[in-house]
Amino acid sequence: MAKGMREIKRQIKSTQNMKQITKAMELVAAANLKRAQNAALAGRPYADKLKEVVSSIAGGGGSVKHPMLQSREVKKTAYIVFTSDRGLAGGLNSGLLKKFVDTLKSKHKSKAEYDLFVIGRKGRDYLRRRDYAIVQDVIGVPDSPKFADVKAIAAAAVGGFEQGTYDEVHLVYNRFINALTQLPTVKQLLPLDASALGATKQAGPSAGYEYEPSPEAVLNVLLPKYAETLVYSALLENKASEFGSRMTAMSNATKNATKRINELTLTYNRARQAAITQEIAEIVGGANALS
């Protein structure tokens, strides 16, 4: 009995230690989530203004054309996949990667029809284990990412489209809804939707622009930058999703640890009470035998 009680006490102590770890990880994820949300909000004015200027040119009566706005026969597709470097984030990565693999199988007949650009260790390792060729990968993206962290991979995918290597470019990431909900998303990045750009309307008076040397020359510079900005926005969305999912997972783990500690404590108290009762019975039995 004493040996069994010592084992229960050991389990209680181990679970308490685990609870402290999961609680600390929950608090860290909550702080990181707040920073990720602030970063996403801080980047919106730049992206919105860039979209406004691009929309102004693209919606200029159809006189301005650009390859990044033109659909063409799809022979090869590029996918930029965003995952986390670390686990302990619930089903965040597994849900996204399962959706992505299903998309590949449904849209393509062979692996020669697409190239993969992967950000995050979890996605890289998952796809490599399944023999998917990865053209370029980035790992070790910090918790507060900068555009420079993904500039090379964004430029490679966008440049590949400009040069005709790829006919479509898609973003694969978790869209952040709230701390409890992250939506696995496969979204077309290129070609850009000219009708959606041209449909951008703002409340109040709109600004007028004069372009030098020409609208076409400005568009040649701005469209790649705008596409790369969308890549960075997807990275921020995925980071916020990672922290939200990890916070929720660690919160659930902490609650489960608390429940387990209560169950073990109840078992320990019952075992202790049984041991005391048994000792009392043995004492009473011995006294009765002597009498």
Side-chain angles (χ1 to χ4, degrees):
M1 180 66 71
K3 182 178 179 181
M5 291 173 62
R6 285 197 298 270
E7 176 63 21
I8 294 173
K9 287 188 70 175
R10 186 192 66 78
Q11 291 182 25
I12 292 174
K13 181 64 176 176
S14 176
T15 307
Q16 286 173 336
N17 292 339
M18 185 61 68
K19 178 182 175 180
Q20 290 177 342
I21 294 172
T22 57
K23 184 62 178 178
M25 293 183 68
E26 177 188 352
L27 296 176
V28 171
N32 284 332
L33 173 59
K34 182 64 176 177
R35 283 198 293 270
Q37 287 178 303
N38 289 340
L41 291 174
R44 284 180 182 175
Y46 172 77
D48 290 344
K49 179 56 68 174
L50 200 57
K51 182 177 181 181
E52 178 187 336
V53 176
V54 170
S55 299
S56 175
I57 304 174
S63 59
V64 179
K65 303 293 184 181
H66 192 278
M68 293 180 71
L69 299 172
Q70 307 298 317
S71 298
R72 53 187 184 240
E73 182 184 357
V74 179
K75 297 179 181 178
K76 194 159 191 176
T77 304
Y79 293 92
I80 306 176
V81 185
F82 297 85
T83 62
S84 67
D85 285 318
R86 302 186 300 273
L88 299 177
L92 181 80
N93 294 311
S94 59
L96 176 69
L97 291 169
K98 184 179 183 302
K99 178 181 178 67
F100 174 52
V101 170
D102 289 343
T103 299
L104 291 180
K105 291 178 179 178
S106 64
K107 289 189 62 175
H108 303 285
K109 297 179 180 179
S110 73
K111 294 181 179 180
E113 295 180 354
Y114 54 83
D115 280 345
L116 306 183
F117 297 83
V118 182
I119 299 168
R121 191 186 307 274
K122 289 295 182 180
R124 184 197 67 178
D125 294 347
Y126 179 95
L127 294 169
R128 278 184 178 175
R129 285 196 300 268
R130 288 157 179 79
D131 296 325
Y132 287 98
I134 297 174
V135 174
Q136 191 173 340
D137 65 84
V138 175
I139 61 173
V141 175
D143 290 339
S144 298
K146 305 297 183 185
F147 176 67
D149 296 317
V150 293
K151 182 178 180 180
I153 207 167
V158 174
F161 182 87
E162 287 186 282
Q163 296 162 13
T165 305
Y166 307 120
D167 303 300
E168 281 186 352
V169 179
H170 292 261
L171 300 174
V172 183
Y173 65 101
N174 283 286
R175 185 159 64 89
F176 180 78
I177 307 299
N178 53 51
L180 295 174
T181 308
Q182 301 82 36
L183 184 64
T185 303
V186 180
K187 177 182 177 181
Q188 180 174 306
L189 172 65
L190 296 172
L192 293 167
D193 189 346
S195 61
L197 287 173
T200 301
K201 299 292 183 183
Q202 293 190 346
S206 58
Y209 298 96
E210 293 184 3
Y211 305 100
E212 293 291 343
S214 67
E216 291 84 353
V218 174
L219 203 62
N220 286 337
V221 175
L222 287 188
L223 275 179
K225 291 185 179 297
Y226 178 58
E228 291 174 1
T229 299
L230 295 180
V231 174
Y232 180 55
S233 297
L235 172 65
L236 294 179
E237 287 261 353
N238 200 75
K239 274 292 181 183
S241 296
E242 176 188 345
F243 298 136
S245 183
R246 181 170 291 118
M247 183 181 72
T248 301
M250 293 301 100
S251 175
N252 291 335
T254 301
K255 292 176 182 178
N256 291 336
T258 300
K259 181 179 178 181
R260 180 61 176 161
I261 290 170
N262 292 338
E263 292 173 350
L264 289 170
T265 301
L266 180 60
T267 301
Y268 175 80
N269 290 337
R270 286 175 174 172
R272 184 169 176 269
Q273 185 63 47
I276 293 172
T277 302
Q278 183 178 350
E279 290 177 2
I280 292 174
E282 289 174 354
I283 292 171
V284 172
N288 291 336
L290 292 175
S291 64

